[in-house]
Amino acid sequence: MQDTTLTWRKSSRSGAAGHCVEIAEVPAAVLVRDSKDVAGPVLAFGNGDWAGFIAGIRSGEFDRPGR
């Protein structure tokens, strides 16, 4: 998605290696793309789904054992 009106941002915790995702917020969704492939595919999450995803991250729901 190459919409120049979108403001894409990545986490302040992103490393210098470039293994990052970027997000852009629109009224009904949060868009996610690979920072190394800005012309590539974009995932769209509804606001409720995004909030649930962030809550899962914060609670450790997606943590991998041994990491």
Side-chain angles (χ1 to χ4, degrees):
M1 176 177 280
Q2 293 222 304
D3 184 337
T4 58
T5 64
L6 294 174
T7 301
W8 291 93
R9 60 188 172 94
K10 57 184 158 184
S11 171
S12 60
R13 294 185 177 194
S14 296
H19 302 98
C20 309
V21 295
E22 298 176 314
I23 67 164
E25 297 179 65
V26 296
V30 175
L31 308 176
V32 181
R33 71 179 182 185
D34 183 341
S35 64
K36 296 182 306 298
D37 186 11
V38 298
V42 173
L43 299 173
F45 293 88
N47 291 327
D49 292 331
W50 183 255
F53 175 65
I54 296 301
I57 290 171
R58 290 182 176 148
S59 73
E61 179 180 346
F62 308 112
D63 291 353
R64 292 173 41 189
R67 290 217 166 209

